[in-house]
Amino acid sequence: MYSEITAAIQSTKTAIELVKAAHGLSNYSELLTAVTAVQIKLTDAIASELASQEKQAALAERVRELEKQIAEIEDWKSQLQRYALFQFTTGALAYALKPGYENGEPMHYLCTACVDKKKKTTLQPQGRFLHCPECKTDIATEKSKPINRNSRGSSWMSV
Ligand SMILES: [Zn+2]
């Protein structure tokens, strides 16, 4: 691009010099040739500059996209830093809110399957399970108790 612009400027100088030298019409055809050459070179330089501007705009857009992606990853990382992988006695895993990172929120767990998909889903307690409202996973947090210690005395026991 720069070489074309430099060439165009050089041709312009040549044309100006020819104009200065042209006291009459004797140099007219030479002048016309020089002017035409300048026009061609300028057209090429402008076309090249436009292509370059398009490339620059495309690159700038790509940079913006990547910066946005990086910001999202950074944000996700900082959000996830508040949690640590926790294993329940059943062996089931969930991300538990780390002590000191509450930010006024009550203790809660995140679904590991959802975290793997970069989704922050808070698990909801359902009996001895934690239920994920997003992917419908049930995580057993306590081992099933022996029937005789079930204080709720459900009707299914008599079946
Ligand atoms: Zn989930």
Side-chain angles (χ1 to χ4, degrees), residues 2 10 57-58 67 73 80 99 106 111-112 137-138 141 145 147 150:
Y2 293 111
Q10 193 53 51
E67 278 173 349
I73 291 166
L80 214 61
C111 170
T112 53
T137 306
D138 283 316
T141 56
K145 289 170 185 163
I147 288 163
N150 190 334

Side-chain angles (χ1 to χ4, degrees), residues 110-115 117 119 121-123 131-137 139:
L110 297 183
C111 170
T112 53
C114 287
V115 164
K117 288 179 220 154
K119 252 186 194 167
T121 316
T122 304
L123 295 165
H131 177 73
C132 175
E134 181 65 31
C135 66
K136 316 294 176 202
T137 306
I139 295 157

Side-chain angles (χ1 to χ4, degrees), residues 86-141:
F86 178 82
Q87 189 167 38
F88 294 98
T89 52
T90 54
L93 297 169
Y95 283 94
L97 186 64
K98 284 192 228 171
Y101 287 84
E102 292 90 348
N103 291 354
E105 290 175 10
M107 172 58 193
H108 60 273
Y109 297 93
L110 297 183
C111 170
T112 53
C114 287
V115 164
D116 288 345
K117 288 179 220 154
K118 293 199 165 36
K119 252 186 194 167
K120 201 178 146 191
T121 316
T122 304
L123 295 165
Q124 297 299 324
Q126 267 181 15
R128 60 182 189 88
F129 293 95
L130 283 173
H131 177 73
C132 175
E134 181 65 31
C135 66
K136 316 294 176 202
T137 306
D138 283 316
I139 295 157
T141 56

Side-chain angles (χ1 to χ4, degrees), residues 12-24 27 30-31 34-35:
T12 311
K13 281 181 185 165
T14 309
I16 290 165
E17 278 159 20
L18 281 168
V19 171
K20 281 179 188 168
H23 296 297
N27 284 336
E30 219 177 322
L31 182 60
V35 168

